Amino acid sequence: MSKKLSEMSLKELWQLFPIYLTEYQPSWKEWYSKESYFLKKAIPQAVRISHVGSTAIGSIWAKPIIDILVEVPKKSKLSNYKGLIVNSGYICMAQNENDISFNKGYTENGFDEKVFHLHLRYIGDNNELYFRDYLIEHPDAASDYEKMKLRLWKKYEHNRDQYTDAKTEFVQKYTEKAKLLYGNRY
């Protein structure tokens, strides 16, 4: 009998769910569209639901995981939405006062066919939107990001934290450029 995900160590989880990248898949837009429609019904208080992450770029290799940013009003507590999201099939992975992260599509046997990461935040805590738009509108920056991710893939295949940390400087640099360029777009 296999262990439940909640019983696995981080090392076991990273082995079961390695980082792997694939060419852009047009189906990712459809996956997002269907999931966002589902989430709008599950969380009617959401101010904005957005497709973020590399699968939203449309031109670069990415982990086949749909990242979704759900922004809710600042006057409410994020924890008030946790039950709604968990009841929608998501697993709460991490939580603090200003951010709750959820996953869907992770099983004791590995990835399901469709995998989602949901980031629940207050309206305006949305740097991912700026980064996404900058890469969509600046193909050279998107290409540089893709090349970096492809270099990091095998090095950190079984360590998501180091993979993410290795991309941080690039992401911050282009997020700041985007904010200067786009102003208060969101």
Side-chain angles (χ1 to χ4, degrees):
M1 178 152 184
S2 63
K3 285 184 179 180
K4 292 182 180 180
L5 295 178
S6 61
E7 298 170 342
M8 292 183 189
S9 69
L10 193 55
K11 186 174 182 176
E12 289 172 315
L13 290 168
W14 284 343
Q15 289 299 313
L16 184 59
F17 303 109
I19 291 170
Y20 72 96
L21 304 176
T22 183
E23 289 182 272
Y24 175 77
Q25 303 295 315
S27 60
W28 292 339
K29 278 187 179 184
E30 182 183 328
W31 292 6
Y32 164 74
S33 181
K34 287 181 178 178
E35 193 68 12
S36 68
Y37 180 77
F38 171 73
L39 289 168
K40 285 174 189 169
K41 289 183 173 211
I43 314 165
Q45 305 87 345
V47 176
R48 181 174 29 236
I49 299 175
S50 305
H51 188 183
V52 295
S54 295
T55 60
I57 307 301
S59 64
I60 64 173
W61 281 57
K63 296 187 305 289
I65 297 170
I66 309 303
D67 284 289
I68 299 173
L69 175 63
V70 176
E71 295 175 81
V72 296
K74 290 181 181 177
K75 63 184 177 188
S76 60
K77 286 187 170 185
L78 290 183
S79 58
N80 293 345
Y81 302 98
K82 184 177 177 180
L84 295 171
I85 295 169
V86 169
N87 289 336
S88 297
Y90 284 84
I91 299 168
C92 182
M93 300 303 294
Q95 179 175 347
N96 65 47
E97 191 176 316
N98 296 309
D99 186 5
I100 304 179
S101 299
F102 301 87
N103 292 352
K104 184 177 182 180
Y106 287 72
T107 76
E108 285 80 6
N109 298 313
F111 292 113
D112 205 347
E113 178 187 351
K114 296 178 185 171
V115 181
F116 300 92
H117 287 178
L118 188 151
H119 311 276
L120 179 67
R121 299 212 195 103
Y122 292 113
I123 188 74
D125 186 358
N126 51 25
N127 284 345
E128 294 90 343
L129 297 177
Y130 288 91
F131 183 69
R132 176 201 67 193
D133 288 357
Y134 193 89
L135 292 190
I136 289 170
E137 296 173 24
H138 296 85
D140 290 346
S143 177
D144 289 345
Y145 187 54
E146 175 185 59
K147 288 174 190 168
M148 179 183 58
K149 288 169 43 135
L150 289 169
R151 280 193 314 272
L152 297 172
W153 172 13
K154 293 299 179 184
K155 183 176 182 180
Y156 299 120
E157 182 177 14
H158 297 286
N159 191 323
R160 286 179 182 266
D161 289 345
Q162 286 185 332
Y163 176 78
T164 300
D165 290 348
K167 299 184 305 177
T168 298
E169 185 178 325
F170 184 98
V171 172
Q172 288 175 341
K173 174 183 173 181
Y174 285 99
T175 299
E176 289 308 313
K177 284 186 173 204
K179 285 183 165 186
L180 288 172
L181 181 65
Y182 303 138
N184 290 325
R185 180 179 271 192
Y186 299 106

